[in-house]
Amino acid sequence: MDFPYPSLMFLADVDRVSAKTALGVAYWRPDACVGQLRLQGCEVDLGLPDMTPAAARAAGARSLLIGVANAGGFIPPHWEAVLIEALEAGLDLISGLHTRLASLPRVRETAERLGRRLLEAREPDPRFNVVGEGAKRGGQRLLTVGTDCAVGKMYAALAIAKELKARGVDADFRATGQTGIFIAGSGAPIDAIVSDFVAGAAEALSPAAGDDHWDVVEGQGSLFHPAYAGVTLGLLHGSQPDALVLCHDATRTAIDGLEAFPTPSLVEAAELNLRLARLTNPAVRFAGVCVNTSRLSPEAAAIYLSETADELGVPCCDPVRTGVAVIVDALLAGAVRRGAA
Amino acid sequence: MDFPYPSLMFLADVDRVSAKTALGVAYWRPDACVGQLRLQGCEVDLGLPDMTPAAARAAGARSLLIGVANAGGFIPPHWEAVLIEALEAGLDLISGLHTRLASLPRVRETAERLGRRLLEAREPDPRFNVVGEGAKRGGQRLLTVGTDCAVGKMYAALAIAKELKARGVDADFRATGQTGIFIAGSGAPIDAIVSDFVAGAAEALSPAAGDDHWDVVEGQGSLFHPAYAGVTLGLLHGSQPDALVLCHDATRTAIDGLEAFPTPSLVEAAELNLRLARLTNPAVRFAGVCVNTSRLSPEAAAIYLSETADELGVPCCDPVRTGVAVIVDALLAGAVRRGAA
C-alpha cells in the first residue's frame, strides 16, 4: 500500500493501550509523522507538536492517520467532525479500524466532493482470501506470540527483523495488524479477514522462500485471550513457524480489560504455543522471550530477565531496554547447527 | 431468515463430502425440497426427482438452493448458466457460499431485471460483529466438536437438540454453518465472520438463559485441521460449553483432502478440546462421542461403539444408527447430579 505520508497522527481521546497504533508508527516511522491531534481526555503524548489539520497541511502533511486501536475497531460519532475538518483542510484519511471510513455518509460525501482518498489498512487484499493447505514451505519463519494483546509482539518482530538484516541475513518483517501495515507499507490485516481464511492468509503472507531466508511474522492476540485466541491459532498454523518468540509485559497480571482472566505463566504459554504449532511444523522450537519491563526499575528488570532466561532455558530480553541481540545470536547459532546436523 | 422454500436443490457436479449441505437439508427439512438438479459428473443422489428449473417451478418450487459446501466456498463459472436459468424460470436463489451471488454481474443483473431475490446464508447479521467478553452466562450449553470437518457435528447437534426437546427440556439448536442455517432458518455463519469477532458471535448466538435451558451449538472445523482450527477455537471459547460431544467418522484416517495430516485419536481430541475450553468455562465436561459408522457392518459398528465407550468412559453412539439417547441420558443425569450437589 502506498500511504500518503507524512501524516497528522490523530489520537482522539484514548488511553495508552489504545494508542498503540500511533505510538508504534511514531517510533518506527518518525518520517511519517508531522504532528499530533488530541481531543480532550487524551492520556497520550507522542512528543510531536499539537496541530490542527490546517496547520498540519501547511507543515507538509498529506494525510490524517487514525492512530487508535480500540476494542471492536469502531469509529465513535464524536470523531467525525475532526475527520471532516481534515478532509476540508486538504488531507486524505488513513484508517486501520473495522469501521470503514466510506461507511460514514458525511465522511464519504466530503471525500468524494473534494477528491480526497479514504485508505483502509484493514481492507484485506483478495489474495488473502484463500483456504490454508498446511503444506511445508521452504524458508525459515519466526512468529512472535504473547501472553496477552498489546505486550510487544509487533515491536519484538520489527526489532528481530532489523537485527537479522543488520547481520546480513535475508529477512522480511511480515505485518499482520494495522500498525505493522502502517509501518511496513504492506501486510495482511489478519484480524479483519474472514475466519475461514485466516490460516490461508498467513500462508500467503509468508510464502515459500530460499533456505536462508527468514520471515519474521508479527503475532496477534494470545491463545489465552477469550476473544481473540482463534485469530492467534489460525495465524500460528498458517505461518508455520520454525521459531517462536514469546512476548510478555512484566507487570501484567490479567488479560487487558478482562480481570477474570489471569495472564498465563510463561512456561504454560510457551508449552501451549509449541504444542499447537507442531500441527503444521513438528520441528518448531522455542527461541526466546521478549519482556516489556518499562514499569520496572533497571535493577528489577535485569533480575527479571535473568531469572526468566534461567527458568525457561532460552534467551530473554527487553527489546527496548536491551535489544534483541541475544535472541538473534541463539537463532542463527541454532540454524547453523541444524543445517550442519 | 425467511427462506423461500420449497427449493430445487442444486447439486452441481460435487462429490459426497461437498454435497453435505444438500444432504443435510434434504434429511432434516424434507418439506423444503421439491427436486434436485445435477450436472454431469455429480456423484450424489438425494433420492428426489431430477428437475429443470422450469419443472421445479411448475411443481411448486419458489427457489433454487445451492446445496454445495466446497473448500473456499466459491461459485465456479460453469454454474452460472443454471443460476440464470433458475432466475428466468421464476425462482429466487439461496446460497451459503463465500462468493456472493450479487458479485456475479450476470446473476445480479438478471435478478434485478426480473425482481428475484438473492439470499445469502453466509452474510453475517451485524449483531454478530462484536468482540467476545468471556463473561459467564446463565443457562447450559453443549457444543459438538470433531476430529475433522464433515464428520457429523451438525447432525449430532440437531439430533441431541431434538432428543432434549422430546423429553420436555427447553432446548435450542444453534446453527453456525450454512447447512444448519438453512435447516433452522437462523444462526451465525461463523466461518464467514471477521476473525476478530468469532468468539463474540458465538457469545451472541447462545445468550444468557434460564438455568434449565440448553443451547446445543453446532461445531465447526476441528482443532486438528490446519486451515480451520482457529475458527474452531473461537467458537469453542465463545460458546462457553458446559458439555462437549466429540464427533468422528470411524473410517477417516486423515484430515479430508490433506493426507499429510492424520486424524487425531479420540482421546487426544477430547483432551485438547477440554483443555482449551476450560479458558472460558473451567467446569466443562466431556459428555459423549458420536461416530459416523455408515461404512462399517452392523456388527463392526456395534463393537466400535462399545469399545470407544469403554476406552473414553463416556456414552458413545452413532446418531443415525442408534440415536443419541445414551448421550442425553447421561447429560440430564449429570445436570441433575450437579444441581443437587
Side-chain angles (χ1 to χ4, degrees), chain B:
Chain B
M1 278 191 163
D2 184 23
F3 295 113
Y5 294 142
S7 299
L8 173 62
M9 306 303 288
F10 180 47
L11 285 161
D13 44 6
V14 295
D15 61 16
R16 195 155 184 90
V17 169
S18 298
K20 70 176 182 176
T21 293
L23 290 162
V25 177
Y27 183 89
W28 289 97
R29 291 292 305 269
D31 57 301
C33 307
V34 163
Q36 62 186 6
L37 195 166
R38 300 183 291 170
L39 302 180
Q40 194 161 21
C42 182
E43 297 174 12
V44 179
D45 185 347
L46 298 178
L48 295 168
D50 287 290
M51 290 182 178
T52 62
R57 184 81 190 92
R62 298 171 60 208
S63 56
L64 176 140
L65 187 153
I66 301 180
V68 177
N70 55 8
F74 65 98
I75 297 179
H78 69 281
W79 295 3
E80 235 176 277
V82 172
L83 303 181
I84 302 284
E85 184 184 344
L87 291 168
E88 289 176 341
L91 303 176
D92 292 335
L93 300 183
I94 303 175
S95 169
L97 298 172
H98 282 305
T99 300
R100 299 298 191 263
L101 292 163
S103 74
L104 306 172
R106 283 184 58 213
V107 170
R108 189 186 60 240
E109 286 157 22
T110 307
E112 283 173 0
R113 178 167 50 81
L114 300 172
R116 309 275 182 263
R117 290 189 293 166
L118 305 177
L119 295 134
E120 308 275 4
R122 238 175 187 150
E123 186 70 45
D125 187 304
R127 78 187 171 96
F128 294 124
N129 288 338
V130 291
V131 174
E133 296 181 348
K136 188 78 184 79
R137 311 191 286 290
Q140 307 277 314
R141 284 164 198 82
L142 181 149
L143 174 69
T144 54
V145 295
T147 53
D148 191 4
C149 295
V151 292
K153 293 182 293 291
M154 182 195 76
Y155 194 105
L158 281 160
I160 291 167
K162 186 177 176 182
E163 180 76 17
L164 283 168
K165 287 181 197 172
R167 298 189 190 192
V169 176
D170 183 19
D172 284 301
F173 167 73
R174 299 298 189 184
T176 61
Q178 57 165 334
T179 313
I181 293 169
F182 289 146
I183 292 167
S186 67
I190 209 83
D191 64 7
I193 285 173
V194 160
S195 64
D196 240 9
F197 300 139
V198 166
E203 292 182 2
L205 181 69
S206 57
D211 284 351
D212 294 333
H213 180 270
W214 278 91
D215 268 333
V216 184
V217 184
E218 174 194 1
Q220 288 295 328
S222 165
L223 292 175
F224 300 87
H225 195 298
Y228 305 128
V231 182
T232 307
L233 184 58
L235 178 58
L236 184 64
H237 283 163
S239 59
Q240 206 175 77
D242 301 279
L244 291 176
V245 168
L246 177 62
C247 302
H248 181 57
D249 181 324
T251 53
R252 190 89 55 97
T253 56
I255 297 294
D256 184 53
L258 297 171
E259 291 304 315
F261 293 85
T263 49
S265 73
L266 294 173
V267 170
E268 184 185 5
E271 184 274 326
L272 185 60
N273 275 284
L274 281 169
R275 176 178 174 178
L276 297 176
R278 285 190 192 106
L279 181 72
T280 57
N281 190 352
V284 60
R285 60 195 195 278
F286 184 35
V289 181
C290 286
V291 184
N292 177 343
T293 64
S294 59
R295 290 192 192 82
L296 301 183
S297 69
E299 298 73 24
I303 292 169
Y304 189 103
L305 297 177
S306 163
E307 288 183 353
T308 302
D310 288 346
E311 186 188 358
L312 292 164
V314 293
C316 178
C317 59
D318 178 329
V320 176
R321 256 188 165 135
T322 70
V324 294
V326 291
I327 289 179
V328 172
D329 289 344
L331 199 67
L332 296 178
V336 169
R337 273 204 306 276
R338 198 175 56 159

Side-chain angles (χ1 to χ4, degrees), chain A residues 108-128:
Chain A
R108 188 184 62 240
E109 286 157 21
T110 307
E112 283 173 359
R113 177 167 51 81
L114 300 171
R116 309 274 183 264
R117 289 189 295 166
L118 305 177
L119 295 133
E120 307 276 5
R122 236 172 187 156
E123 185 71 44
D125 188 305
R127 78 186 170 96
F128 294 124

Side-chain angles (χ1 to χ4, degrees), chain A residues 85-97:
Chain A
E85 184 185 345
L87 291 168
E88 289 176 341
L91 303 176
D92 293 335
L93 300 183
I94 304 175
S95 169
L97 297 173

